[in-house]
Amino acid sequence: MRFDIITVLPELLESPLNHSIMQRAKNKGLLEVHLHHLRDYGIGKHKQVDDYQFGGGAGMVMRPEPLAACLDQLLAERAYDAVIYTTPDGKRLDQGICNRLSMFENAIIICGHYKGIDERIREKYVNWEISIGDYVLSGGELAAAIIVDSVGRLIPGVLNDETSALFDSFQDNLLAPPVYTRPAVWDERAVPEVLLSGNDKLIDEWRHEQSLLRTRERRPDLLGEA
Ligand code: 6GU
């Protein structure tokens, strides 16, 4: 899968997408991330990308022309399955959306800044508006990094058996069960005996039960019991 990210702060995206599983996905040729510095498409001598808000009010708005120039260039190069805009008034990101996005071949992410982007860009180009939660970030870059990470790890072949997404929290609308590693006793606390039993069926049952308990206790909304 290929992501093209349009941003005024490419530096903010470089580190988070260059480690661990994201790095491995790129090395395997399964994930490509291309950063596009919006400033390169800015207007005039000062490469302006934002301007005051019509109608008054505090805060700048991202002008349409630089965004359109960058988008038109990308859209002329290949077909995109999604043009995503990261915004607090978008649809809240969840595992279901991540699963859907992971089936795409090419996606653009526009990172919002200041008061946001001119509404006409949303009308003309954007078909996915995504928020990562009910709080406000100072820019869309961290949200874009979260989208690429959460979607990228679902691309077939990115995770191996050990890191399989099948048993993630949320994959079946349940939270993941507790996990333990060595030593079997630490600080006078023993690992649940069933995990040392070698009985795969009992272990699966225990894990499922723990998932249910945990979900009921912490996130009853996921079970429709809110
Ligand atoms: Cl996607 N962008 C910004 N700026 N703030 C957010 C957000 C996105 N999601 C939640 N808050």
Side-chain angles (χ1 to χ4, degrees):
M1 180 172 185
R2 172 183 173 126
F3 283 99
D4 287 276
I5 306 180
I6 305 174
T7 169
V8 291
L9 281 172
E11 303 85 349
L12 213 48
L13 280 157
E14 268 150 25
S15 175
L17 301 176
N18 280 324
H19 297 284
S20 181
I21 289 170
M22 291 302 100
Q23 187 58 48
R24 207 169 65 214
K26 289 188 197 169
N27 290 342
K28 285 188 185 172
L30 298 170
L31 175 68
E32 276 181 49
V33 181
H34 298 265
L35 302 179
H36 305 276
H37 198 346
L38 188 62
R39 188 72 60 186
D40 296 339
Y41 301 83
I43 299 160
K45 197 169 73 206
H46 299 291
K47 296 286 174 191
Q48 189 185 352
V49 296
D50 60 345
D51 217 322
Y52 69 86
Q53 197 177 155
F54 280 135
M60 306 289 269
V61 174
M62 289 167 76
R63 282 179 65 132
E65 308 95 310
L67 284 164
C70 186
L71 285 161
D72 285 338
Q73 186 176 310
L74 289 172
L75 292 166
E77 286 168 7
R78 67 192 62 73
Y80 284 91
D81 305 294
V83 178
I84 300 165
Y85 171 48
T86 59
T87 174
D89 64 6
K91 189 169 160 57
R92 182 117 51 91
L93 185 65
D94 61 20
Q95 198 65 25
I97 296 180
C98 295
N99 287 336
R100 282 177 69 190
L101 293 176
S102 74
M103 299 188 206
F104 289 165
E105 208 56 55
N106 302 308
I108 293 173
I109 305 179
I110 304 168
C111 300
H113 253 267
Y114 321 112
K115 282 279 156 190
I117 65 175
D118 189 285
E119 186 69 17
R120 293 165 291 185
I121 291 291
R122 295 171 75 156
E123 288 169 13
K124 180 169 177 186
Y125 295 96
V126 173
N127 52 18
W128 286 72
E129 301 188 321
I130 294 179
S131 161
I132 62 163
D134 291 343
Y135 43 82
V136 178
L137 302 168
S138 54
E141 282 74 15
L142 297 178
I146 282 167
I147 293 168
V148 174
D149 186 298
S150 57
V151 172
R153 60 191 290 285
L154 297 174
I155 298 167
V158 169
L159 300 182
N160 50 37
D161 279 352
E162 282 158 45
T163 51
S164 167
L166 283 177
F167 302 107
D168 285 348
S169 281
F170 305 115
Q171 209 49 276
D172 48 10
N173 252 354
L174 292 177
L175 301 181
V179 293
Y180 299 87
T181 186
R182 294 191 293 173
V185 180
W186 172 79
D187 193 32
E188 292 172 23
R189 299 153 199 262
V191 168
E193 216 164 308
V194 59
L195 296 177
L196 310 174
S197 70
N199 185 329
D200 290 340
K201 184 166 168 285
L202 278 183
I203 292 171
D204 283 350
E205 283 169 7
W206 181 85
R207 285 185 171 147
H208 186 65
E209 200 177 289
Q210 291 293 314
S211 279
L212 277 170
L213 281 172
R214 205 158 252 217
T215 309
R216 189 161 291 138
E217 194 175 289
R218 301 178 184 203
R219 293 292 306 277
D221 58 300
L222 294 175
L223 299 170
E225 294 176 2

